[in-house]
Amino acid sequence: MNGTPDLAAVIAADQQLWRDFQAICDCGGRLAGTVSEERAFAYVRAQAEAATGVQGRSIPVPYGGWSPRGASLTLPGGARAQCHPLVRSVATPPRGLEAEVIDLGRGTPEEFAAHAADIKGRIVLVRHELMFAAGTIHRRRKYLAAMEAGAVGFLIAGPVPGRLVAGSSGRQDGPGIPAAGIAPETAAALRPTAGGWPTARLEIETLEQPAQTQTLLFDLPGQGDDWVVLSAHIDGHDGGESAMDNASGVAAALAVARALAPHVKSLPRGLRLAFFSVEEWALTGSAQYVQNLSVAERQHVALNVNLDSIGGSPNLAALTSGFAQLEPFLLRIAEASSIPLRSVRPLMQNSDHANFALAGIPALRLVAGFDDANANLRFVLTPSDTRDKVQPSELTQAAVLTAKIVAAACSVSDQDATAWRQVTSPG
Ligand SMILES: [Zn+2]
């Protein structure tokens, strides 16, 4: 950008970044449909309006509302263990679902295949994996595999002793099997014995009804008709603060908007700030947003920069979704800023950027701690995803890099921006 101040210095001096992060955490876990989510939207809207000087545009997002009303698991011998229904899990019959539990370890396709004949009529038990790793098998794939093999229930054990694990079952409407997260100790109590598979009783009570949330947009026009969309999802899971995932991304997006707002009008492209919800509902908010864009509107989005879980580790990665020309662009900016950045090439459908990418819009996700089993990101989707896992310096660094990426994307030549649209390594 010509004649613009040092973005790194502006963001380093921005005291509001850390305050926003804490305030969003203060709202609670922000499960879609809760007062906690509503409070976060109100806060973010006020802060974004202050940052950009423009009124937010709210697009209604209808979705299948779902809330857990109670859950428990009765172990062999009658002891009761806590469990956490996965988002959109179906309910069990009122008196519970009693079945044998088959432990499939991690829950790889090989493990499912090896036990194909044993799964029908049983509850499948698998392990939760670090989500931001190259070889991760997503919980939703394991859930689907269990369902397809005829399982009657699904349990997923988290990595943190004494802690349950949350997440989405991936079910939309329609059929499903009851699914819940459990602590590792509970999984240990469900080991097979010489007597065979243990029997457990799972009880899940839910309420399902049509619901509505929103996508919040703030437009800072540039000189031309094109946009760079900077996005972050506001929703999360109950039981913690959803601090890394994704108070970190929302707070950083606000800081980037504050730093760039005075300058965007002189740039070739505008900045559109987008806050999505029901991301934890199989990316529903961003899916509806992208679906409702006309072909022409899609053409006018030069790039989506999606911030999801950018705190919890100082190591940042850009998931470049198969858009090969994004990589040299991003690495050049990171290098010039002395911020280490790893580029991960395949399309990873683990956040809102995926919906842009699937529609042919160049899109990337910035994420911290990718492929690092020791990073605090291992606590994501557990009640331990709390603010103490994030350092102020991590938020600052991610916001600085993002501001530079967005500013450069608003400024590159049309020729460069067109080249980004070539997909050379899909999925
Ligand atoms: Zn997320």
Side-chain angles (χ1 to χ4, degrees), residues 47-56 218-220 257-258 261 271 273:
Q47 291 306 313
E49 288 183 347
T52 60
V54 298
Q55 286 282 312
F218 299 84
D219 281 358
L220 291 165
R258 265 192 302 276
L271 167 60
L273 190 57

Side-chain angles (χ1 to χ4, degrees), residues 132 233 235 245-246 279-280 308-309 350-351 365:
F132 312 118
H233 73 85
D235 66 313
D245 183 13
N246 185 31
E279 190 268 354
E280 307 286 8
D308 192 350
S309 309
N350 53 17
S351 186
R365 171 184 179 177

